[in-house]
Amino acid sequence: MTMSWTWLHKLGSPKWFYEISGRWLSWLAWAAALLIGIGIAWGLAFAPADYQQGNSFRIIYIHVPAAFLAQSIYVMLAVAGVVGLVWKMKLADVALQQAAPIGAWMCFVALLTGAIWGKPTWGAWWVWDARLTSMLILLFLYFGIIALGQAIGNRDSAAKACAVLAIVGVVNIPIIKYSVEWWNTLHQTATFKLTEKPAMPVEMWLPLLVLVIGFYCFFAVVLLLRMRLEVLKRESRSAWARTEVAALVERRS
């Protein structure tokens, strides 16, 4: 038990996070670039056209990874909110605040690509479908967290407010996931599930899986970069942070 609490305390250390994240950044960046490059080329140029939708289905290679990320990031915000409220880890608030804008962008991309895909499929850019509406609510939740973080001047109060909103809002995630099963909607069911054999042929879903993993690596890179910068700002009075900033300035000069 002592070892687990020691590890948890170490995980919440800004200095330790900054050091360990620097070691992972280059690997994650290369993985993201490689996987996204391969997935895009494979999906757009080599995957066969859908027998019903033709080439218009290829928007799936951007839409699905973005939708996955938008939902996963919000779950991460809720977990960070719990950690911040229960264990008072300031690094959890850093993760929450820096991940929220990325999640909002992914949600926006998912909605935009869904609209582009919906026009040839449904004949309309937007319908008040259960899946689309719940995804729009997710975007508003992201906006709410971002706005709260910027509107409240006291950092501790802002952290608590954002954590509570993230935790309360996470109830929307299962609604998004099961909306196509609970209600009669136009949106298709899940493209593939871990527990079931994919309905798509392997040459169509494999590049999609590669892109999903690539998007998650991309998210990790952007999040770590944003968190590292925020950690340096918050720890600007500490000796180690001043040393890191001086080293960064020296490298650029």
Side-chain angles (χ1 to χ4, degrees), residues 72-89:
S72 299
I73 292 173
Y74 198 90
V75 173
M76 194 207 89
L77 298 190
V79 172
V82 171
V83 172
L85 290 176
V86 176
W87 288 284
K88 312 296 183 184
M89 284 189 181

Side-chain angles (χ1 to χ4, degrees), residues 100-124:
I102 309 172
W105 273 111
M106 287 297 114
C107 193
F108 174 77
V109 169
L111 288 168
L112 178 63
T113 52
I116 295 171
W117 192 7
K119 180 60 176 176
T121 305
W122 301 334

Side-chain angles (χ1 to χ4, degrees), residues 7 23 43 48 78 84 87-88 90 95 107 123 127 142-143 147 152 167 175 213 216 218 220 225 246:
W7 177 85
R23 301 173 192 172
W87 288 284
K88 312 296 183 184
K90 293 183 178 180
C107 193
V127 292
Y142 275 122
F143 287 162
I152 302 175
I167 295 168
I175 294 175
I213 299 172
Y216 276 96
F218 171 76
L225 287 172

Side-chain angles (χ1 to χ4, degrees), residues 20-35 214 217-218 220-221 224:
I20 200 70
S21 62
R23 301 173 192 172
W24 283 95
L25 267 175
S26 58
W27 291 100
L28 288 168
W30 277 109
L34 188 64
L35 291 170
C217 290
F218 171 76
V221 171
L224 290 179

Side-chain angles (χ1 to χ4, degrees), residues 4-50:
S4 64
W5 282 109
T6 302
W7 177 85
L8 190 63
H9 178 75
K10 188 177 181 181
L11 185 64
S13 166
K15 182 181 179 182
W16 182 85
F17 164 79
Y18 193 89
E19 291 174 353
I20 200 70
S21 62
R23 301 173 192 172
W24 283 95
L25 267 175
S26 58
W27 291 100
L28 288 168
W30 277 109
L34 188 64
L35 291 170
I36 291 175
I38 292 173
I40 288 290
W42 191 352
L44 298 185
F46 299 104
D50 185 75

